[in-house]
PDB file of all heavy atoms in Angstrom:
ATOM      1  N   GLY A   9       8.137   5.744   1.545  1.00 97.00           N
ATOM      2  CA  GLY A   9       6.802   5.069   1.686  1.00 97.00           C
ATOM      3  C   GLY A   9       6.014   5.610   2.832  1.00 97.00           C
ATOM      4  O   GLY A   9       6.539   6.186   3.771  1.00 97.00           O
ATOM      5  N   MET A  10       4.727   5.311   2.833  1.00 97.00           N
ATOM      6  CA  MET A  10       3.732   5.654   3.815  1.00 97.00           C
ATOM      7  C   MET A  10       2.814   4.568   3.950  1.00 97.00           C
ATOM      8  O   MET A  10       2.247   3.957   2.989  1.00 97.00           O
ATOM      9  CB  MET A  10       3.101   7.022   3.509  1.00 97.00           C
ATOM     10  CG  MET A  10       2.103   7.487   4.505  1.00 97.00           C
ATOM     11  SD  MET A  10       0.445   6.771   4.406  1.00 97.00           S
ATOM     12  CE  MET A  10      -0.079   7.478   2.770  1.00 97.00           C
ATOM     13  N   ASP A  11       2.402   4.227   5.256  1.00 97.00           N
ATOM     14  CA  ASP A  11       1.411   3.253   5.565  1.00 97.00           C
ATOM     15  C   ASP A  11       0.411   4.001   6.556  1.00 97.00           C
ATOM     16  O   ASP A  11       0.897   4.375   7.666  1.00 97.00           O
ATOM     17  CB  ASP A  11       1.954   1.970   6.159  1.00 97.00           C
ATOM     18  CG  ASP A  11       0.775   1.085   6.475  1.00 97.00           C
ATOM     19  OD1 ASP A  11       0.278   1.084   7.720  1.00 97.00           O
ATOM     20  OD2 ASP A  11       0.496   0.274   5.591  1.00 97.00           O
ATOM     21  N   LEU A  12      -0.911   4.012   6.173  1.00 96.00           N
ATOM     22  CA  LEU A  12      -1.863   4.590   7.136  1.00 96.00           C
ATOM     23  C   LEU A  12      -2.986   3.677   7.420  1.00 96.00           C
ATOM     24  O   LEU A  12      -3.642   3.178   6.574  1.00 96.00           O
ATOM     25  CB  LEU A  12      -2.409   5.880   6.421  1.00 96.00           C
ATOM     26  CG  LEU A  12      -3.611   6.601   7.203  1.00 96.00           C
ATOM     27  CD1 LEU A  12      -3.035   7.145   8.466  1.00 96.00           C
ATOM     28  CD2 LEU A  12      -4.242   7.704   6.334  1.00 96.00           C
ATOM     29  N   ALA A  13      -3.061   3.344   8.789  1.00 95.00           N
ATOM     30  CA  ALA A  13      -4.071   2.391   9.167  1.00 95.00           C
ATOM     31  C   ALA A  13      -5.392   3.204   9.391  1.00 95.00           C
ATOM     32  O   ALA A  13      -5.563   3.887  10.419  1.00 95.00           O
ATOM     33  CB  ALA A  13      -3.710   1.689  10.504  1.00 95.00           C
ATOM     34  N   VAL A  14      -6.282   3.027   8.431  1.00 94.00           N
ATOM     35  CA  VAL A  14      -7.503   3.817   8.479  1.00 94.00           C
ATOM     36  C   VAL A  14      -8.385   3.303   9.540  1.00 94.00           C
ATOM     37  O   VAL A  14      -9.034   3.978  10.339  1.00 94.00           O
ATOM     38  CB  VAL A  14      -8.282   3.795   7.054  1.00 94.00           C
ATOM     39  CG1 VAL A  14      -9.567   4.636   7.232  1.00 94.00           C
ATOM     40  CG2 VAL A  14      -7.270   4.437   6.037  1.00 94.00           C
ATOM     41  N   THR A  15      -8.557   1.905   9.622  1.00 92.00           N
ATOM     42  CA  THR A  15      -9.172   1.276  10.688  1.00 92.00           C
ATOM     43  C   THR A  15      -8.335   0.015  11.036  1.00 92.00           C
ATOM     44  O   THR A  15      -7.221  -0.127  10.513  1.00 92.00           O
ATOM     45  CB  THR A  15     -10.627   0.681  10.271  1.00 92.00           C
ATOM     46  OG1 THR A  15     -10.451  -0.445   9.251  1.00 92.00           O
ATOM     47  CG2 THR A  15     -11.432   1.812   9.656  1.00 92.00           C
ATOM     48  N   ASN A  16      -8.820  -0.728  12.034  1.00 89.00           N
ATOM     49  CA  ASN A  16      -7.951  -1.974  12.447  1.00 89.00           C
ATOM     50  C   ASN A  16      -8.054  -3.009  11.360  1.00 89.00           C
ATOM     51  O   ASN A  16      -7.268  -4.102  11.502  1.00 89.00           O
ATOM     52  CB  ASN A  16      -8.446  -2.478  13.811  1.00 89.00           C
ATOM     53  CG  ASN A  16      -9.875  -2.926  13.712  1.00 89.00           C
ATOM     54  OD1 ASN A  16     -10.598  -2.713  12.781  1.00 89.00           O
ATOM     55  ND2 ASN A  16     -10.314  -3.507  14.888  1.00 89.00           N
ATOM     56  N   PHE A  17      -8.833  -2.916  10.343  1.00 92.00           N
ATOM     57  CA  PHE A  17      -8.823  -3.894   9.250  1.00 92.00           C
ATOM     58  C   PHE A  17      -8.583  -3.340   7.821  1.00 92.00           C
ATOM     59  O   PHE A  17      -8.574  -4.085   6.842  1.00 92.00           O
ATOM     60  CB  PHE A  17     -10.165  -4.617   9.262  1.00 92.00           C
ATOM     61  CG  PHE A  17     -11.414  -3.773   8.909  1.00 92.00           C
ATOM     62  CD1 PHE A  17     -11.802  -3.508   7.625  1.00 92.00           C
ATOM     63  CD2 PHE A  17     -12.104  -3.125   9.926  1.00 92.00           C
ATOM     64  CE1 PHE A  17     -12.866  -2.708   7.297  1.00 92.00           C
ATOM     65  CE2 PHE A  17     -13.205  -2.326   9.604  1.00 92.00           C
ATOM     66  CZ  PHE A  17     -13.575  -2.101   8.333  1.00 92.00           C
ATOM     67  N   PHE A  18      -8.480  -2.040   7.709  1.00 95.00           N
ATOM     68  CA  PHE A  18      -8.234  -1.437   6.485  1.00 95.00           C
ATOM     69  C   PHE A  18      -7.065  -0.352   6.507  1.00 95.00           C
ATOM     70  O   PHE A  18      -7.093   0.464   7.358  1.00 95.00           O
ATOM     71  CB  PHE A  18      -9.454  -0.841   5.965  1.00 95.00           C
ATOM     72  CG  PHE A  18      -9.432  -0.191   4.637  1.00 95.00           C
ATOM     73  CD1 PHE A  18      -9.412  -0.971   3.460  1.00 95.00           C
ATOM     74  CD2 PHE A  18      -9.332   1.274   4.448  1.00 95.00           C
ATOM     75  CE1 PHE A  18      -9.308  -0.293   2.230  1.00 95.00           C
ATOM     76  CE2 PHE A  18      -9.191   1.888   3.270  1.00 95.00           C
ATOM     77  CZ  PHE A  18      -9.198   1.049   2.024  1.00 95.00           C
ATOM     78  N   SER A  19      -6.181  -0.470   5.608  1.00 96.00           N
ATOM     79  CA  SER A  19      -4.983   0.416   5.523  1.00 96.00           C
ATOM     80  C   SER A  19      -4.734   0.958   4.080  1.00 96.00           C
ATOM     81  O   SER A  19      -5.056   0.156   3.155  1.00 96.00           O
ATOM     82  CB  SER A  19      -3.754  -0.043   6.188  1.00 96.00           C
ATOM     83  OG  SER A  19      -3.390  -1.297   5.570  1.00 96.00           O
ATOM     84  N   LEU A  20      -4.111   2.089   3.960  1.00 96.00           N
ATOM     85  CA  LEU A  20      -3.600   2.576   2.651  1.00 96.00           C
ATOM     86  C   LEU A  20      -2.105   2.678   2.687  1.00 96.00           C
ATOM     87  O   LEU A  20      -1.577   3.053   3.752  1.00 96.00           O
ATOM     88  CB  LEU A  20      -4.269   3.964   2.406  1.00 96.00           C
ATOM     89  CG  LEU A  20      -5.833   3.938   2.193  1.00 96.00           C
ATOM     90  CD1 LEU A  20      -6.335   5.342   2.139  1.00 96.00           C
ATOM     91  CD2 LEU A  20      -6.264   3.181   0.911  1.00 96.00           C
ATOM     92  N   GLN A  21      -1.569   2.504   1.525  1.00 96.00           N
ATOM     93  CA  GLN A  21      -0.115   2.662   1.338  1.00 96.00           C
ATOM     94  C   GLN A  21       0.225   3.587   0.109  1.00 96.00           C
ATOM     95  O   GLN A  21      -0.606   3.477  -0.873  1.00 96.00           O
ATOM     96  CB  GLN A  21       0.614   1.246   1.256  1.00 96.00           C
ATOM     97  CG  GLN A  21       0.573   0.319   2.333  1.00 96.00           C
ATOM     98  CD  GLN A  21      -0.729  -0.451   2.380  1.00 96.00           C
ATOM     99  OE1 GLN A  21      -1.188  -0.911   1.343  1.00 96.00           O
ATOM    100  NE2 GLN A  21      -1.317  -0.708   3.490  1.00 96.00           N
ATOM    101  N   SER A  22       1.253   4.198   0.140  1.00 96.00           N
ATOM    102  CA  SER A  22       1.796   4.930  -1.043  1.00 96.00           C
ATOM    103  C   SER A  22       3.236   5.011  -0.996  1.00 96.00           C
ATOM    104  O   SER A  22       3.877   4.839   0.077  1.00 96.00           O
ATOM    105  CB  SER A  22       1.107   6.340  -1.140  1.00 96.00           C
ATOM    106  OG  SER A  22       1.611   7.156  -0.109  1.00 96.00           O
ATOM    107  N   GLY A  23       3.971   5.240  -2.095  1.00 96.00           N
ATOM    108  CA  GLY A  23       5.311   5.254  -2.129  1.00 96.00           C
ATOM    109  C   GLY A  23       5.937   5.980  -3.370  1.00 96.00           C
ATOM    110  O   GLY A  23       5.159   6.187  -4.394  1.00 96.00           O
ATOM    111  N   PHE A  24       7.150   6.397  -3.311  1.00 96.00           N
ATOM    112  CA  PHE A  24       7.838   7.039  -4.377  1.00 96.00           C
ATOM    113  C   PHE A  24       9.264   6.344  -4.383  1.00 96.00           C
ATOM    114  O   PHE A  24       9.959   6.243  -3.518  1.00 96.00           O
ATOM    115  CB  PHE A  24       8.037   8.449  -4.096  1.00 96.00           C
ATOM    116  CG  PHE A  24       8.909   9.205  -5.132  1.00 96.00           C
ATOM    117  CD1 PHE A  24       8.521   9.390  -6.400  1.00 96.00           C
ATOM    118  CD2 PHE A  24      10.262   9.611  -4.770  1.00 96.00           C
ATOM    119  CE1 PHE A  24       9.289  10.065  -7.372  1.00 96.00           C
ATOM    120  CE2 PHE A  24      11.048  10.224  -5.680  1.00 96.00           C
ATOM    121  CZ  PHE A  24      10.631  10.503  -6.950  1.00 96.00           C
ATOM    122  N   HIS A  25       9.695   5.961  -5.728  1.00 93.00           N
ATOM    123  CA  HIS A  25      10.900   5.294  -5.921  1.00 93.00           C
ATOM    124  C   HIS A  25      11.666   6.004  -7.137  1.00 93.00           C
ATOM    125  O   HIS A  25      10.944   6.078  -8.167  1.00 93.00           O
ATOM    126  CB  HIS A  25      10.586   3.820  -6.290  1.00 93.00           C
ATOM    127  CG  HIS A  25      11.772   2.975  -6.645  1.00 93.00           C
ATOM    128  ND1 HIS A  25      12.228   1.913  -5.714  1.00 93.00           N
ATOM    129  CD2 HIS A  25      12.608   2.957  -7.630  1.00 93.00           C
ATOM    130  CE1 HIS A  25      13.290   1.314  -6.238  1.00 93.00           C
ATOM    131  NE2 HIS A  25      13.493   1.909  -7.370  1.00 93.00           N
ATOM    132  N   TYR A  26      12.825   6.327  -6.940  1.00 91.00           N
ATOM    133  CA  TYR A  26      13.586   7.078  -8.012  1.00 91.00           C
ATOM    134  C   TYR A  26      14.824   6.341  -8.204  1.00 91.00           C
ATOM    135  O   TYR A  26      15.784   6.340  -7.389  1.00 91.00           O
ATOM    136  CB  TYR A  26      13.851   8.456  -7.611  1.00 91.00           C
ATOM    137  CG  TYR A  26      14.439   9.373  -8.824  1.00 91.00           C
ATOM    138  CD1 TYR A  26      13.477   9.899  -9.720  1.00 91.00           C
ATOM    139  CD2 TYR A  26      15.700   9.445  -8.950  1.00 91.00           C
ATOM    140  CE1 TYR A  26      13.969  10.570 -10.783  1.00 91.00           C
ATOM    141  CE2 TYR A  26      16.151  10.187 -10.063  1.00 91.00           C
ATOM    142  CZ  TYR A  26      15.394  10.619 -10.917  1.00 91.00           C
ATOM    143  OH  TYR A  26      15.773  11.431 -12.074  1.00 91.00           O
ATOM    144  N   ARG A  27      15.056   5.707  -9.416  1.00 87.00           N
ATOM    145  CA  ARG A  27      16.184   5.032  -9.771  1.00 87.00           C
ATOM    146  C   ARG A  27      16.554   5.218 -11.225  1.00 87.00           C
ATOM    147  O   ARG A  27      15.692   4.950 -12.140  1.00 87.00           O
ATOM    148  CB  ARG A  27      16.017   3.574  -9.495  1.00 87.00           C
ATOM    149  CG  ARG A  27      17.280   2.716  -9.865  1.00 87.00           C
ATOM    150  CD  ARG A  27      17.082   1.224  -9.389  1.00 87.00           C
ATOM    151  NE  ARG A  27      18.257   0.508  -9.438  1.00 87.00           N
ATOM    152  CZ  ARG A  27      18.489  -0.786  -8.944  1.00 87.00           C
ATOM    153  NH1 ARG A  27      17.397  -1.319  -8.334  1.00 87.00           N
ATOM    154  NH2 ARG A  27      19.581  -1.387  -9.112  1.00 87.00           N
ATOM    155  N   GLY A  28      17.762   5.696 -11.537  1.00 77.00           N
ATOM    156  CA  GLY A  28      18.261   5.779 -12.888  1.00 77.00           C
ATOM    157  C   GLY A  28      17.332   6.635 -13.884  1.00 77.00           C
ATOM    158  O   GLY A  28      17.107   6.291 -14.939  1.00 77.00           O
ATOM    159  N   GLY A  29      16.903   7.717 -13.314  1.00 72.00           N
ATOM    160  CA  GLY A  29      16.027   8.679 -14.147  1.00 72.00           C
ATOM    161  C   GLY A  29      14.654   8.121 -14.319  1.00 72.00           C
ATOM    162  O   GLY A  29      13.892   8.523 -15.223  1.00 72.00           O
ATOM    163  N   ASN A  30      14.254   7.122 -13.538  1.00 78.00           N
ATOM    164  CA  ASN A  30      12.896   6.528 -13.581  1.00 78.00           C
ATOM    165  C   ASN A  30      12.095   6.722 -12.305  1.00 78.00           C
ATOM    166  O   ASN A  30      12.132   5.810 -11.432  1.00 78.00           O
ATOM    167  CB  ASN A  30      13.017   5.047 -13.892  1.00 78.00           C
ATOM    168  CG  ASN A  30      11.651   4.375 -14.136  1.00 78.00           C
ATOM    169  OD1 ASN A  30      10.611   5.085 -14.257  1.00 78.00           O
ATOM    170  ND2 ASN A  30      11.686   3.011 -14.315  1.00 78.00           N
ATOM    171  N   PRO A  31      11.352   7.889 -12.120  1.00 86.00           N
ATOM    172  CA  PRO A  31      10.487   8.013 -11.006  1.00 86.00           C
ATOM    173  C   PRO A  31       9.327   7.076 -11.068  1.00 86.00           C
ATOM    174  O   PRO A  31       8.695   6.984 -12.124  1.00 86.00           O
ATOM    175  CB  PRO A  31      10.183   9.461 -11.074  1.00 86.00           C
ATOM    176  CG  PRO A  31      10.300   9.830 -12.405  1.00 86.00           C
ATOM    177  CD  PRO A  31      11.292   8.987 -13.119  1.00 86.00           C
ATOM    178  N   ARG A  32       8.980   6.451  -9.917  1.00 89.00           N
ATOM    179  CA  ARG A  32       7.851   5.621  -9.895  1.00 89.00           C
ATOM    180  C   ARG A  32       6.982   5.974  -8.607  1.00 89.00           C
ATOM    181  O   ARG A  32       7.449   6.222  -7.574  1.00 89.00           O
ATOM    182  CB  ARG A  32       8.194   4.053  -9.813  1.00 89.00           C
ATOM    183  CG  ARG A  32       9.033   3.617 -10.878  1.00 89.00           C
ATOM    184  CD  ARG A  32       8.889   2.073 -11.034  1.00 89.00           C
ATOM    185  NE  ARG A  32       9.239   1.325  -9.860  1.00 89.00           N
ATOM    186  CZ  ARG A  32      10.336   0.729  -9.707  1.00 89.00           C
ATOM    187  NH1 ARG A  32      11.314   0.795 -10.575  1.00 89.00           N
ATOM    188  NH2 ARG A  32      10.546  -0.001  -8.564  1.00 89.00           N
ATOM    189  N   PHE A  33       5.672   6.029  -8.928  1.00 92.00           N
ATOM    190  CA  PHE A  33       4.711   6.339  -7.880  1.00 92.00           C
ATOM    191  C   PHE A  33       3.862   5.115  -7.701  1.00 92.00           C
ATOM    192  O   PHE A  33       3.405   4.519  -8.627  1.00 92.00           O
ATOM    193  CB  PHE A  33       3.881   7.548  -8.279  1.00 92.00           C
ATOM    194  CG  PHE A  33       4.705   8.786  -8.479  1.00 92.00           C
ATOM    195  CD1 PHE A  33       5.128   9.054  -9.773  1.00 92.00           C
ATOM    196  CD2 PHE A  33       4.914   9.680  -7.425  1.00 92.00           C
ATOM    197  CE1 PHE A  33       5.840  10.190 -10.039  1.00 92.00           C
ATOM    198  CE2 PHE A  33       5.639  10.817  -7.713  1.00 92.00           C
ATOM    199  CZ  PHE A  33       6.119  11.011  -9.055  1.00 92.00           C
ATOM    200  N   SER A  34       3.494   4.787  -6.378  1.00 93.00           N
ATOM    201  CA  SER A  34       2.695   3.646  -6.143  1.00 93.00           C
ATOM    202  C   SER A  34       1.665   3.886  -5.186  1.00 93.00           C
ATOM    203  O   SER A  34       1.762   4.843  -4.293  1.00 93.00           O
ATOM    204  CB  SER A  34       3.611   2.447  -5.544  1.00 93.00           C
ATOM    205  OG  SER A  34       4.339   2.872  -4.483  1.00 93.00           O
ATOM    206  N   LEU A  35       0.509   3.209  -5.330  1.00 94.00           N
ATOM    207  CA  LEU A  35      -0.636   3.373  -4.365  1.00 94.00           C
ATOM    208  C   LEU A  35      -1.224   1.980  -4.121  1.00 94.00           C
ATOM    209  O   LEU A  35      -1.347   1.198  -5.068  1.00 94.00           O
ATOM    210  CB  LEU A  35      -1.700   4.222  -5.064  1.00 94.00           C
ATOM    211  CG  LEU A  35      -3.017   4.374  -4.354  1.00 94.00           C
ATOM    212  CD1 LEU A  35      -2.827   5.250  -3.010  1.00 94.00           C
ATOM    213  CD2 LEU A  35      -4.043   5.132  -5.236  1.00 94.00           C
ATOM    214  N   GLY A  36      -1.393   1.724  -2.848  1.00 95.00           N
ATOM    215  CA  GLY A  36      -1.977   0.321  -2.548  1.00 95.00           C
ATOM    216  C   GLY A  36      -2.937   0.429  -1.368  1.00 95.00           C
ATOM    217  O   GLY A  36      -3.075   1.451  -0.669  1.00 95.00           O
ATOM    218  N   THR A  37      -3.651  -0.684  -1.210  1.00 95.00           N
ATOM    219  CA  THR A  37      -4.637  -0.856  -0.131  1.00 95.00           C
ATOM    220  C   THR A  37      -4.533  -2.214   0.422  1.00 95.00           C
ATOM    221  O   THR A  37      -4.213  -3.201  -0.279  1.00 95.00           O
ATOM    222  CB  THR A  37      -6.125  -0.477  -0.516  1.00 95.00           C
ATOM    223  OG1 THR A  37      -6.913  -0.662   0.483  1.00 95.00           O
ATOM    224  CG2 THR A  37      -6.522  -1.446  -1.587  1.00 95.00           C
ATOM    225  N   GLU A  38      -4.737  -2.371   1.755  1.00 95.00           N
ATOM    226  CA  GLU A  38      -4.704  -3.744   2.405  1.00 95.00           C
ATOM    227  C   GLU A  38      -5.951  -3.891   3.185  1.00 95.00           C
ATOM    228  O   GLU A  38      -6.393  -2.997   3.950  1.00 95.00           O
ATOM    229  CB  GLU A  38      -3.459  -3.869   3.177  1.00 95.00           C
ATOM    230  CG  GLU A  38      -3.257  -5.205   3.763  1.00 95.00           C
ATOM    231  CD  GLU A  38      -1.999  -5.469   4.583  1.00 95.00           C
ATOM    232  OE1 GLU A  38      -1.625  -4.672   5.350  1.00 95.00           O
ATOM    233  OE2 GLU A  38      -1.294  -6.481   4.178  1.00 95.00           O
ATOM    234  N   LEU A  39      -6.610  -5.083   3.094  1.00 94.00           N
ATOM    235  CA  LEU A  39      -7.720  -5.351   3.820  1.00 94.00           C
ATOM    236  C   LEU A  39      -7.486  -6.590   4.720  1.00 94.00           C
ATOM    237  O   LEU A  39      -6.926  -7.645   4.204  1.00 94.00           O
ATOM    238  CB  LEU A  39      -8.926  -5.699   2.914  1.00 94.00           C
ATOM    239  CG  LEU A  39     -10.204  -6.047   3.679  1.00 94.00           C
ATOM    240  CD1 LEU A  39     -10.844  -4.810   4.408  1.00 94.00           C
ATOM    241  CD2 LEU A  39     -11.251  -6.601   2.638  1.00 94.00           C
ATOM    242  N   LEU A  40      -7.751  -6.534   6.000  1.00 92.00           N
ATOM    243  CA  LEU A  40      -7.434  -7.634   7.021  1.00 92.00           C
ATOM    244  C   LEU A  40      -8.671  -8.197   7.419  1.00 92.00           C
ATOM    245  O   LEU A  40      -9.623  -7.529   7.715  1.00 92.00           O
ATOM    246  CB  LEU A  40      -6.651  -7.107   8.165  1.00 92.00           C
ATOM    247  CG  LEU A  40      -5.341  -6.405   7.914  1.00 92.00           C
ATOM    248  CD1 LEU A  40      -4.784  -5.862   9.262  1.00 92.00           C
ATOM    249  CD2 LEU A  40      -4.342  -7.405   7.298  1.00 92.00           C
ATOM    250  N   THR A  41      -8.800  -9.580   7.477  1.00 89.00           N
ATOM    251  CA  THR A  41      -9.877 -10.300   8.056  1.00 89.00           C
ATOM    252  C   THR A  41      -9.251 -11.142   9.262  1.00 89.00           C
ATOM    253  O   THR A  41      -8.136 -10.873   9.560  1.00 89.00           O
ATOM    254  CB  THR A  41     -10.487 -11.253   7.109  1.00 89.00           C
ATOM    255  OG1 THR A  41      -9.665 -12.267   6.732  1.00 89.00           O
ATOM    256  CG2 THR A  41     -10.979 -10.474   5.839  1.00 89.00           C
ATOM    257  N   SER A  42     -10.029 -11.912   9.861  1.00 83.00           N
ATOM    258  CA  SER A  42      -9.496 -12.604  11.018  1.00 83.00           C
ATOM    259  C   SER A  42      -8.390 -13.528  10.730  1.00 83.00           C
ATOM    260  O   SER A  42      -7.506 -13.713  11.561  1.00 83.00           O
ATOM    261  CB  SER A  42     -10.746 -13.455  11.664  1.00 83.00           C
ATOM    262  OG  SER A  42     -11.213 -14.376  10.719  1.00 83.00           O
ATOM    263  N   ASP A  43      -8.372 -14.114   9.621  1.00 88.00           N
ATOM    264  CA  ASP A  43      -7.273 -15.021   9.286  1.00 88.00           C
ATOM    265  C   ASP A  43      -6.655 -14.880   7.828  1.00 88.00           C
ATOM    266  O   ASP A  43      -5.883 -15.602   7.300  1.00 88.00           O
ATOM    267  CB  ASP A  43      -7.648 -16.480   9.381  1.00 88.00           C
ATOM    268  CG  ASP A  43      -8.911 -16.812   8.668  1.00 88.00           C
ATOM    269  OD1 ASP A  43      -9.370 -15.978   7.863  1.00 88.00           O
ATOM    270  OD2 ASP A  43      -9.415 -17.922   8.783  1.00 88.00           O
ATOM    271  N   MET A  44      -6.976 -13.757   7.163  1.00 92.00           N
ATOM    272  CA  MET A  44      -6.558 -13.512   5.786  1.00 92.00           C
ATOM    273  C   MET A  44      -6.238 -11.937   5.664  1.00 92.00           C
ATOM    274  O   MET A  44      -6.776 -11.202   6.410  1.00 92.00           O
ATOM    275  CB  MET A  44      -7.580 -13.879   4.794  1.00 92.00           C
ATOM    276  CG  MET A  44      -7.904 -15.363   4.591  1.00 92.00           C
ATOM    277  SD  MET A  44      -6.538 -16.304   3.779  1.00 92.00           S
ATOM    278  CE  MET A  44      -6.634 -15.633   2.181  1.00 92.00           C
ATOM    279  N   SER A  45      -5.375 -11.701   4.679  1.00 93.00           N
ATOM    280  CA  SER A  45      -5.181 -10.353   4.327  1.00 93.00           C
ATOM    281  C   SER A  45      -5.132 -10.284   2.799  1.00 93.00           C
ATOM    282  O   SER A  45      -4.629 -11.249   2.119  1.00 93.00           O
ATOM    283  CB  SER A  45      -3.891  -9.757   4.937  1.00 93.00           C
ATOM    284  OG  SER A  45      -2.721 -10.361   4.404  1.00 93.00           O
ATOM    285  N   PHE A  46      -5.536  -9.149   2.227  1.00 94.00           N
ATOM    286  CA  PHE A  46      -5.646  -8.954   0.709  1.00 94.00           C
ATOM    287  C   PHE A  46      -4.936  -7.649   0.456  1.00 94.00           C
ATOM    288  O   PHE A  46      -5.323  -6.598   1.098  1.00 94.00           O
ATOM    289  CB  PHE A  46      -7.020  -9.011   0.186  1.00 94.00           C
ATOM    290  CG  PHE A  46      -7.668 -10.335   0.609  1.00 94.00           C
ATOM    291  CD1 PHE A  46      -8.410 -10.456   1.675  1.00 94.00           C
ATOM    292  CD2 PHE A  46      -7.597 -11.456  -0.328  1.00 94.00           C
ATOM    293  CE1 PHE A  46      -9.012 -11.640   1.951  1.00 94.00           C
ATOM    294  CE2 PHE A  46      -8.227 -12.576  -0.039  1.00 94.00           C
ATOM    295  CZ  PHE A  46      -9.024 -12.722   1.074  1.00 94.00           C
ATOM    296  N   ASN A  47      -4.136  -7.588  -0.484  1.00 94.00           N
ATOM    297  CA  ASN A  47      -3.443  -6.310  -0.920  1.00 94.00           C
ATOM    298  C   ASN A  47      -3.524  -6.146  -2.399  1.00 94.00           C
ATOM    299  O   ASN A  47      -3.203  -7.061  -3.219  1.00 94.00           O
ATOM    300  CB  ASN A  47      -2.016  -6.364  -0.502  1.00 94.00           C
ATOM    301  CG  ASN A  47      -1.301  -5.083  -0.808  1.00 94.00           C
ATOM    302  OD1 ASN A  47      -0.933  -4.831  -1.951  1.00 94.00           O
ATOM    303  ND2 ASN A  47      -1.060  -4.185   0.224  1.00 94.00           N
ATOM    304  N   VAL A  48      -3.902  -4.926  -2.762  1.00 94.00           N
ATOM    305  CA  VAL A  48      -3.897  -4.605  -4.254  1.00 94.00           C
ATOM    306  C   VAL A  48      -3.182  -3.307  -4.391  1.00 94.00           C
ATOM    307  O   VAL A  48      -3.355  -2.360  -3.664  1.00 94.00           O
ATOM    308  CB  VAL A  48      -5.348  -4.413  -4.788  1.00 94.00           C
ATOM    309  CG1 VAL A  48      -5.286  -4.064  -6.237  1.00 94.00           C
ATOM    310  CG2 VAL A  48      -6.149  -5.702  -4.612  1.00 94.00           C
ATOM    311  N   ASN A  49      -2.197  -3.163  -5.332  1.00 92.00           N
ATOM    312  CA  ASN A  49      -1.549  -1.996  -5.530  1.00 92.00           C
ATOM    313  C   ASN A  49      -1.197  -1.708  -6.956  1.00 92.00           C
ATOM    314  O   ASN A  49      -1.148  -2.579  -7.813  1.00 92.00           O
ATOM    315  CB  ASN A  49      -0.352  -1.869  -4.687  1.00 92.00           C
ATOM    316  CG  ASN A  49       0.837  -2.690  -5.094  1.00 92.00           C
ATOM    317  OD1 ASN A  49       1.445  -2.324  -6.197  1.00 92.00           O
ATOM    318  ND2 ASN A  49       1.167  -3.814  -4.509  1.00 92.00           N
TER     319      ASN A  49
END
Protein backbone atom coordinates (compact mmCIF):
# COMPACT_ATOMS: atom_id res chain seq x y z
CA GLY A 1 0.00 0.00 0.00
CA MET A 2 0.85 3.68 -0.36
CA ASP A 3 -0.42 6.81 1.37
CA LEU A 4 0.50 10.26 0.01
CA ALA A 5 -0.42 13.41 1.96
CA VAL A 6 -1.00 15.93 -0.85
CA THR A 7 -1.90 18.66 1.66
CA ASN A 8 -2.55 18.68 5.39
CA PHE A 9 -6.24 18.01 4.70
CA PHE A 10 -6.17 15.83 1.56
CA SER A 11 -4.42 12.50 0.90
CA LEU A 12 -4.42 9.73 -1.70
CA GLN A 13 -4.08 5.98 -1.12
CA SER A 14 -3.50 3.03 -3.41
CA GLY A 15 -2.85 -0.66 -2.87
CA PHE A 16 -2.28 -4.07 -4.39
CA HIS A 17 -3.52 -7.32 -2.86
CA TYR A 18 -2.79 -10.78 -4.30
CA ARG A 19 -4.50 -13.80 -2.79
CA GLY A 20 -5.40 -17.16 -4.31
CA GLY A 21 -4.97 -16.09 -7.93
CA ASN A 22 -7.08 -12.98 -7.35
CA PRO A 23 -5.09 -9.74 -7.80
CA ARG A 24 -6.89 -6.65 -6.52
CA PHE A 25 -6.03 -3.02 -7.14
CA SER A 26 -7.43 -0.23 -4.98
CA LEU A 27 -7.54 3.54 -5.12
CA GLY A 28 -8.79 5.87 -2.38
CA THR A 29 -8.88 9.43 -1.19
CA GLU A 30 -9.28 10.96 2.26
CA LEU A 31 -10.41 14.46 3.15
CA LEU A 32 -9.83 15.89 6.64
CA THR A 33 -11.70 18.76 8.26
CA SER A 34 -11.27 20.14 11.77
CA ASP A 35 -13.37 17.41 13.37
CA MET A 36 -14.33 14.98 10.56
CA SER A 37 -12.68 12.82 7.94
CA PHE A 38 -14.19 11.31 4.79
CA ASN A 39 -12.78 8.42 2.80
CA VAL A 40 -13.95 7.03 -0.53
CA ASN A 41 -12.20 4.14 -2.28
